[in-house]
């Protein structure tokens, strides 16, 4: 799968599969393959390890942002926002070394520290993926690879069901809420 993905690499690659089809497992595998500091022994004996040129070029070479919204489903928008804030905080926490980065300005470090606090501030959550991507790129000198799993959050209330399109939320544009009455 990794070599096929790299052969047909696009700016965005979307995987749509039914439930229980291995999307989370594949996302985890891709994260562990590309992420800097990866444990290369995890891929020993697998077919991908036979392609030494590909492994040298890609394995363990990139900063990675990996976000899953799998567990987020709420009875109201505010709760979904709180859960999204926790998700952002957890992912930012994996990159705490940015607080000490010599490549970032003090203002950038302060902005990053805001991501570490799971506060329900819509503007911070909406800007989080862009900010984290830019800071990782500045620190590492290469673009971050982003993996997003479950791109919709569903809020079910008595009045309506709300689908929050996270690609729109985290695409640094306006929040899109589709209401199904």
């Amino acid at each position: 799968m990794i070599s096929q993905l790299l052969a047909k690499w696009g700016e965005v690659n979307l995987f749509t599969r039914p439930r229980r089809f291995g999307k989370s497992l594949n996302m985890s595998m891709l994260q562990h393959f590309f992420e800097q500091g990866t444990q290369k022994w995890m891929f020993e004996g697998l077919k991908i390890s036979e392609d030494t040129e590909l492994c040298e070029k890609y394995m363990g070479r990139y900063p990675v942002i990996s976000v899953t919204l799998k567990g987020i489903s709420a009875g109201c928008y505010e709760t979904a926002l709180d859960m999204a804030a926790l998700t952002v905080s957890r992912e930012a926490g994996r990159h705490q070394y940015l607080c000490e980065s010599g490549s970032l300005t003090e203002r950038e470090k302060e902005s990053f520290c805001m991501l570490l606090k799971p506060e329900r501030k819509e503007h911070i959550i909406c800007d989080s993926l862009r900010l984290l991507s830019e800071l990782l790129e500045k620190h590492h000198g290469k673009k971050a690879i982003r993996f997003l799993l479950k791109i919709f959050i569903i809020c079910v209330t008595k009045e309506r069901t709300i689908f929050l399109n996270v690609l729109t939320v985290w695409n640094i544009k306006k929040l899109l809420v589709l209401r199904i009455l």
Side-chain angles (χ1 to χ4, degrees):
M1 177 187 164
I2 295 170
S3 59
Q4 289 174 355
L5 178 64
L6 289 169
K8 298 177 182 181
W9 194 261
E11 190 173 332
V12 174
N13 296 282
L14 178 65
F15 298 93
T16 57
R17 295 288 181 267
R19 292 183 70 219
R20 316 291 305 157
F21 207 83
K23 295 179 296 294
S24 298
L25 181 63
N26 282 326
M27 186 171 107
S28 176
M29 174 191 62
L30 291 168
Q31 175 186 347
H32 284 90
F33 182 82
F34 289 109
E35 191 160 47
Q36 291 177 332
T38 193
Q39 304 296 319
K40 295 183 181 192
W41 60 264
M42 294 174 74
F43 294 91
E44 286 178 9
L46 300 178
K47 187 171 182 174
I48 192 71
S49 67
E50 295 170 10
D51 190 341
T52 54
E53 185 179 328
L54 182 136
C55 288
E56 284 295 318
K57 187 173 180 181
Y58 295 103
M59 186 186 286
R61 302 271 186 206
Y62 294 89
V64 171
I65 298 170
S66 182
V67 175
T68 179
L69 302 175
K70 206 175 185 178
I72 298 179
S73 103
C76 68
Y77 176 76
E78 289 74 22
T79 302
L81 199 59
D82 286 341
M83 295 173 85
L86 282 170
T87 300
V88 166
S89 176
R90 272 189 229 110
E91 183 57 20
R94 289 188 339 101
H95 303 283
Q96 280 193 349
Y97 57 88
L98 292 176
C99 292
E100 306 299 322
S101 174
S103 303
L104 303 180
T105 67
E106 288 305 312
R107 186 173 168 93
E108 288 169 329
K109 290 176 189 178
E110 288 172 18
S111 294
F112 174 74
C113 288
M114 289 174 50
L115 298 181
L116 294 171
K117 301 173 189 168
E119 295 181 39
R120 187 195 347 139
K121 292 186 178 175
E122 204 170 289
H123 70 282
I124 293 173
I125 295 168
C126 290
D127 195 45
S128 61
L129 192 58
R130 181 204 55 81
L131 177 63
L132 187 54
S133 296
E134 286 179 3
L135 297 178
L136 286 170
E137 181 177 354
K138 188 170 180 183
H139 176 81
H140 293 283
K142 56 180 75 172
K143 288 190 180 284
I145 296 175
R146 294 173 283 196
F147 296 113
L148 304 174
L149 183 64
K150 191 179 178 202
I151 58 174
F152 291 97
I153 300 173
I154 302 172
C155 297
V156 180
T157 65
K158 290 180 186 177
E159 299 82 30
R160 63 185 179 262
T161 300
I162 302 171
F163 295 90
L164 304 176
N165 180 340
V166 175
L167 287 182
T168 303
V169 172
W170 277 332
N171 200 18
I172 327 318
K173 294 183 181 167
K174 293 179 185 173
L175 177 68
L176 172 67
V177 179
L178 301 173
R179 295 178 187 206
I180 309 299
L181 299 176

